Short mmCIF file of all heavy atoms in Angstrom, two decimals:
data_model
loop_
_atom_site.label_atom_id
_atom_site.label_comp_id
_atom_site.label_asym_id
_atom_site.label_seq_id
_atom_site.Cartn_x
_atom_site.Cartn_y
_atom_site.Cartn_z
N ALA B 124 5.87 11.91 33.75
CA ALA B 124 7.02 11.38 34.49
C ALA B 124 7.82 10.42 33.60
O ALA B 124 9.05 10.41 33.63
CB ALA B 124 6.55 10.68 35.77
N HIS B 125 7.09 9.63 32.81
CA HIS B 125 7.76 8.68 31.91
C HIS B 125 8.58 9.44 30.85
O HIS B 125 9.72 9.05 30.55
CB HIS B 125 6.70 7.80 31.24
CG HIS B 125 7.26 6.79 30.28
ND1 HIS B 125 8.17 5.83 30.66
CD2 HIS B 125 7.02 6.59 28.96
CE1 HIS B 125 8.48 5.09 29.59
NE2 HIS B 125 7.80 5.53 28.56
N GLU B 126 8.01 10.49 30.34
CA GLU B 126 8.71 11.30 29.33
C GLU B 126 9.93 11.98 29.94
O GLU B 126 11.00 12.00 29.34
CB GLU B 126 7.76 12.35 28.76
CG GLU B 126 7.72 12.35 27.26
CD GLU B 126 6.59 13.19 26.69
OE1 GLU B 126 5.85 13.83 27.48
OE2 GLU B 126 6.45 13.21 25.46
N ALA B 127 9.75 12.51 31.15
CA ALA B 127 10.88 13.17 31.82
C ALA B 127 12.00 12.18 32.07
O ALA B 127 13.17 12.55 32.16
CB ALA B 127 10.41 13.76 33.15
N ASP B 128 11.64 10.89 32.16
CA ASP B 128 12.63 9.85 32.41
C ASP B 128 13.19 9.29 31.10
O ASP B 128 13.89 8.27 31.10
CB ASP B 128 11.96 8.75 33.24
CG ASP B 128 12.94 7.76 33.81
OD1 ASP B 128 14.04 8.19 34.22
OD2 ASP B 128 12.64 6.55 33.82
N GLY B 129 12.88 9.91 30.00
CA GLY B 129 13.46 9.49 28.73
C GLY B 129 12.56 8.63 27.86
O GLY B 129 12.95 8.23 26.76
N GLY B 130 11.35 8.32 28.32
CA GLY B 130 10.43 7.54 27.50
C GLY B 130 9.73 8.41 26.48
O GLY B 130 9.87 9.64 26.48
N THR B 131 8.98 7.79 25.60
CA THR B 131 8.20 8.56 24.62
C THR B 131 6.72 8.29 24.83
O THR B 131 6.33 7.20 25.25
CB THR B 131 8.58 8.21 23.17
OG1 THR B 131 8.46 6.79 23.01
CG2 THR B 131 9.99 8.62 22.85
N VAL B 132 5.91 9.29 24.53
CA VAL B 132 4.47 9.19 24.76
C VAL B 132 3.73 9.66 23.52
O VAL B 132 4.09 10.69 22.94
CB VAL B 132 4.06 10.06 25.96
CG1 VAL B 132 2.54 10.04 26.15
CG2 VAL B 132 4.76 9.61 27.25
N THR B 133 2.72 8.91 23.11
CA THR B 133 1.80 9.37 22.07
C THR B 133 0.45 9.61 22.70
O THR B 133 -0.08 8.75 23.40
CB THR B 133 1.66 8.32 20.95
OG1 THR B 133 2.93 8.11 20.34
CG2 THR B 133 0.66 8.78 19.89
N GLN B 134 -0.09 10.81 22.47
CA GLN B 134 -1.45 11.10 22.92
C GLN B 134 -2.40 10.87 21.76
O GLN B 134 -2.28 11.52 20.72
CB GLN B 134 -1.56 12.55 23.40
CG GLN B 134 -1.15 12.72 24.83
CD GLN B 134 -1.82 13.95 25.47
OE1 GLN B 134 -2.67 14.59 24.88
NE2 GLN B 134 -1.41 14.25 26.70
N VAL B 135 -3.37 9.99 21.96
CA VAL B 135 -4.35 9.72 20.91
C VAL B 135 -5.46 10.77 21.02
O VAL B 135 -6.00 11.00 22.10
CB VAL B 135 -4.92 8.30 21.08
CG1 VAL B 135 -6.10 8.08 20.14
CG2 VAL B 135 -3.83 7.26 20.83
N ALA B 136 -5.77 11.38 19.89
CA ALA B 136 -6.78 12.45 19.87
C ALA B 136 -8.18 11.85 20.02
O ALA B 136 -8.39 10.65 19.83
CB ALA B 136 -6.68 13.23 18.57
N VAL B 137 -9.12 12.72 20.37
CA VAL B 137 -10.51 12.29 20.49
C VAL B 137 -11.37 13.09 19.52
O VAL B 137 -10.95 14.13 19.01
CB VAL B 137 -11.06 12.50 21.92
CG1 VAL B 137 -10.31 11.61 22.90
CG2 VAL B 137 -10.96 13.97 22.34
N ASP B 138 -12.58 12.62 19.27
CA ASP B 138 -13.50 13.39 18.43
C ASP B 138 -14.19 14.45 19.29
O ASP B 138 -13.92 14.58 20.47
CB ASP B 138 -14.51 12.46 17.73
CG ASP B 138 -15.37 11.67 18.71
OD1 ASP B 138 -15.48 12.10 19.89
OD2 ASP B 138 -15.91 10.63 18.32
N ARG B 139 -15.10 15.20 18.68
CA ARG B 139 -15.76 16.30 19.39
C ARG B 139 -16.62 15.81 20.55
O ARG B 139 -16.95 16.56 21.46
CB ARG B 139 -16.60 17.09 18.38
CG ARG B 139 -16.65 18.56 18.71
CD ARG B 139 -17.39 19.38 17.68
NE ARG B 139 -17.99 20.53 18.35
CZ ARG B 139 -17.32 21.63 18.68
NH1 ARG B 139 -16.06 21.76 18.36
NH2 ARG B 139 -17.93 22.62 19.33
N ALA B 140 -16.95 14.51 20.53
CA ALA B 140 -17.74 13.94 21.64
C ALA B 140 -16.83 13.42 22.76
O ALA B 140 -17.31 12.99 23.80
CB ALA B 140 -18.62 12.81 21.12
N GLY B 141 -15.52 13.45 22.52
CA GLY B 141 -14.58 13.01 23.57
C GLY B 141 -14.19 11.55 23.47
O GLY B 141 -13.51 11.04 24.36
N ALA B 142 -14.57 10.87 22.38
CA ALA B 142 -14.27 9.45 22.25
C ALA B 142 -13.04 9.22 21.38
O ALA B 142 -12.80 9.95 20.42
CB ALA B 142 -15.47 8.71 21.65
N VAL B 143 -12.26 8.19 21.73
CA VAL B 143 -11.17 7.75 20.86
C VAL B 143 -11.73 6.73 19.88
O VAL B 143 -12.86 6.28 20.03
CB VAL B 143 -10.03 7.08 21.68
CG1 VAL B 143 -9.49 8.02 22.73
CG2 VAL B 143 -10.50 5.77 22.30
N SER B 144 -10.92 6.36 18.90
CA SER B 144 -11.32 5.25 18.03
C SER B 144 -10.25 4.18 18.10
O SER B 144 -9.08 4.47 18.37
CB SER B 144 -11.46 5.74 16.59
OG SER B 144 -10.18 6.06 16.07
N ALA B 145 -10.67 2.95 17.88
CA ALA B 145 -9.72 1.84 17.87
C ALA B 145 -8.69 2.05 16.76
O ALA B 145 -7.51 1.72 16.91
CB ALA B 145 -10.46 0.51 17.69
N ARG B 146 -9.14 2.63 15.65
CA ARG B 146 -8.21 2.87 14.55
C ARG B 146 -7.08 3.82 14.98
O ARG B 146 -5.92 3.61 14.64
CB ARG B 146 -8.96 3.48 13.36
CG ARG B 146 -8.01 3.82 12.20
CD ARG B 146 -8.70 4.52 11.06
NE ARG B 146 -9.66 3.61 10.42
CZ ARG B 146 -10.39 3.94 9.36
NH1 ARG B 146 -10.28 5.15 8.84
NH2 ARG B 146 -11.23 3.08 8.84
N ALA B 147 -7.44 4.86 15.75
CA ALA B 147 -6.41 5.81 16.20
C ALA B 147 -5.39 5.11 17.10
O ALA B 147 -4.19 5.38 17.03
CB ALA B 147 -7.05 6.97 16.93
N TYR B 148 -5.86 4.18 17.93
CA TYR B 148 -4.91 3.42 18.76
C TYR B 148 -4.05 2.53 17.88
O TYR B 148 -2.84 2.40 18.10
CB TYR B 148 -5.64 2.60 19.84
CG TYR B 148 -5.76 3.36 21.15
CD1 TYR B 148 -6.68 4.40 21.28
CD2 TYR B 148 -4.95 3.06 22.24
CE1 TYR B 148 -6.78 5.12 22.46
CE2 TYR B 148 -5.04 3.78 23.43
CZ TYR B 148 -5.95 4.81 23.53
OH TYR B 148 -6.04 5.53 24.69
N ALA B 149 -4.68 1.90 16.88
CA ALA B 149 -3.93 1.02 15.97
C ALA B 149 -2.81 1.81 15.29
O ALA B 149 -1.68 1.33 15.15
CB ALA B 149 -4.86 0.39 14.95
N GLU B 150 -3.14 3.05 14.90
CA GLU B 150 -2.14 3.87 14.22
C GLU B 150 -1.02 4.32 15.15
O GLU B 150 0.10 4.56 14.74
CB GLU B 150 -2.81 5.09 13.58
CG GLU B 150 -3.56 4.73 12.29
CD GLU B 150 -4.50 5.84 11.83
OE1 GLU B 150 -4.49 6.93 12.44
OE2 GLU B 150 -5.25 5.59 10.86
N ALA B 151 -1.37 4.45 16.43
CA ALA B 151 -0.36 4.91 17.40
C ALA B 151 0.60 3.80 17.82
O ALA B 151 1.70 4.07 18.29
CB ALA B 151 -1.05 5.48 18.63
N LEU B 152 0.18 2.55 17.65
CA LEU B 152 1.02 1.41 18.06
C LEU B 152 2.30 1.37 17.26
O LEU B 152 2.29 1.58 16.04
CB LEU B 152 0.25 0.10 17.89
CG LEU B 152 -0.84 -0.18 18.93
CD1 LEU B 152 -1.78 -1.28 18.46
CD2 LEU B 152 -0.23 -0.55 20.28
N ARG B 153 3.42 1.08 17.96
CA ARG B 153 4.72 0.99 17.29
C ARG B 153 5.41 -0.28 17.77
O ARG B 153 5.00 -0.86 18.78
CB ARG B 153 5.59 2.20 17.66
CG ARG B 153 4.95 3.54 17.42
CD ARG B 153 5.90 4.72 17.50
NE ARG B 153 6.87 4.68 18.56
CZ ARG B 153 7.41 5.77 19.14
NH1 ARG B 153 7.02 6.99 18.74
NH2 ARG B 153 8.32 5.66 20.08
#
Side-chain angles (χ1 to χ4, degrees):
Chain B
H125 180 58
E126 231 169 2
D128 192 38
T131 53
V132 176
T133 299
Q134 275 205 7
V135 171
V137 295
D138 60 21
R139 214 176 150 80
V143 302
S144 69
R146 177 185 294 182
Y148 268 74
E150 283 166 6
L152 286 164
R153 306 193 319 208

